[in-house]
Amino acid sequence: MADHRRWMQGPGNTTAWFHCFAGIAGDMTLGALLDAGADLDEVRGLLERLPIAGWHLDAEPVMRGGIAATQAIVEVAPTTVTRTYAHITGLLAEAHLPQRIYERASNAFAAIAEVEGRLHRRPVEQVHFHEVGSIDAIIDIVGVAAALEVLGVDHVAASPIATGMGMIRTAHGMLPNPSPAVVELLARVGAPSHGVDTHIELTTPTGAGLMTTLAEHWGPLPALKIRSTGFGAGSNELEHLPNLAQVVLGAPSDQAGGSWSNYGQPVILLEVNVDDVTGETLAHCVSALLEAGAHDAWITPIVMKKGRPAYTVSALADVSLARRVGEVLTTES
């Protein structure tokens, strides 16, 4: 099966680049966007559409490593509720959020559910979210999507992501740092990362789920006409580096012949060559690919070895949906 990454022109030109030099977490991402100018009341208003109660979002000015930053603080009432992925998708659907907010939040939860399901050998719909299903994590993920919309962000990019080492305590018990979920999330899109000699959890599953589904490009700060910047603070001071995530907002610059942002959203082209197949099977395959979330799917007649007539079945999909669409492509063809 061929896997070709292609870049397609996007409709907007506002880019957010995240500098993950001390890792990334949901609250750090949200804090950085609030620090960069996302209006807190507007973000709260969008979050209040969620059919959940017992929470309050605030933004507190703090210092980390001598740098002024914003810490996003979610206060929640005590609860013992453990939500499944199916429960989360129901909450998002019931909230009637603007389309782009819904898609960005849904993609993050879907990626985390896929990884957790594979790690714990459970169907995706039955995956139990522990930390990620808590109210504060839901507010973080949907809040990030809302803040991006308030700021009018069309494209997201990120630096390589820093991770810690050693062991960490989680709802599943003691786990290696970075956690298996974080490693799987980074691996599923080929996100660049590097380790830091600290036993603190620098990158959380929430942060990794957000960044790996939002980012269209990985690398240094692209050529931008910078509009604003912000720092989101983690909850603790670190000894060797500031516990911060930075976001830089701007429009693509024409310097140095333009930048990757001019190409917009990344998609993956998945293809398979098949012979000895009926037209009914091919038609069903195209329909199943579209139902799985492919942007488009099509069939091309080809000639294989020894002059045999055959077909190439192709599908164009978001990076975050590549595994799901690929599975449909192989099973239905």
Side-chain angles (χ1 to χ4, degrees):
M1 183 184 301
D3 180 349
H4 307 295
R5 294 178 182 265
R6 294 184 176 179
W7 299 85
M8 301 185 68
Q9 182 66 36
N13 65 353
T14 300
T15 296
W17 176 73
F18 287 90
H19 194 187
C20 308
F21 57 87
I24 195 73
D27 59 343
M28 294 167 72
T29 310
L30 180 55
L33 292 168
L34 294 171
D35 200 55
D39 185 84
L40 178 59
D41 289 333
E42 288 189 55
V43 174
R44 280 197 195 114
L46 290 163
L47 287 168
E48 286 168 357
R49 299 188 185 190
L50 291 167
I52 52 176
W55 63 270
H56 176 72
L57 171 65
D58 209 347
E60 181 178 331
V62 296
M63 300 289 289
R64 293 287 185 269
I67 299 175
T70 294
Q71 183 177 3
I73 299 175
V74 182
E75 298 177 352
V76 298
T79 179
T80 58
V81 174
T82 299
R83 294 175 176 84
T84 64
Y85 174 61
H87 190 177
I88 297 292
T89 57
L91 291 176
L92 295 177
E94 191 176 340
H96 299 293
L97 295 161
Q99 185 63 24
R100 194 156 60 169
I101 298 177
Y102 172 79
E103 289 178 354
R104 284 169 166 167
S106 295
N107 287 343
F109 281 115
I112 296 169
E114 177 190 319
V115 164
E116 292 283 359
R118 190 160 62 249
L119 288 171
H120 300 294
R121 296 181 178 176
R122 298 180 66 90
V124 170
E125 294 76 13
Q126 298 177 18
V127 167
H128 284 79
F129 285 147
H130 294 280
E131 289 93 342
V132 180
S134 61
I135 293 179
D136 53 344
I138 295 171
I139 297 302
D140 284 344
I141 290 176
V142 182
V144 166
L148 288 169
E149 195 67 15
V150 168
L151 290 167
V153 172
D154 304 293
H155 308 290
V156 176
S159 72
I161 295 178
T163 62
M165 61 179 294
M167 302 293 290
I168 52 174
R169 186 177 299 279
T170 73
H172 297 291
M174 296 299 293
L175 292 177
N177 181 25
S179 70
V182 167
V183 174
E184 288 280 344
L185 285 163
L186 296 176
R188 71 190 294 275
V189 297
S193 60
H194 60 92
V196 176
D197 188 8
T198 177
H199 287 244
I200 302 295
E201 184 183 29
L202 299 181
T203 295
T204 67
T206 302
L210 280 166
M211 210 51 51
T212 56
T213 54
L214 289 170
E216 304 167 15
H217 174 81
W218 302 93
L221 177 67
L224 295 177
K225 295 177 181 177
I226 294 175
R227 186 178 84 199
S228 65
T229 184
F231 286 94
S235 56
N236 300 312
E237 285 277 8
L238 301 179
E239 184 177 354
H240 301 298
L241 75 167
N243 191 10
L244 299 169
Q246 182 186 22
V247 67
V248 178
L249 301 178
S253 170
D254 293 331
Q255 296 178 1
S259 73
W260 66 271
S261 299
N262 295 327
Y263 296 95
Q265 179 185 0
V267 293
I268 287 180
L269 175 63
L270 301 167
E271 293 182 329
V272 64
N273 294 342
V274 295
D275 62 359
D276 191 24
V277 63
T278 66
E280 291 82 0
T281 297
L282 291 173
H284 173 74
C285 183
V286 169
S287 177
L289 289 167
L290 296 174
E291 289 179 4
H295 291 298
D296 200 1
W298 63 95
I299 299 167
T300 307
I302 60 172
V303 177
M304 296 178 66
K305 64 183 180 180
K306 299 182 180 180
R308 294 204 309 268
Y311 301 92
T312 297
V313 184
S314 307
L316 205 62
D318 287 336
V319 174
S320 61
L321 296 177
R323 183 183 296 273
R324 182 192 310 175
V325 173
E327 289 175 352
V328 171
L329 183 60
T330 54
T331 57
E332 299 298 337
S333 66

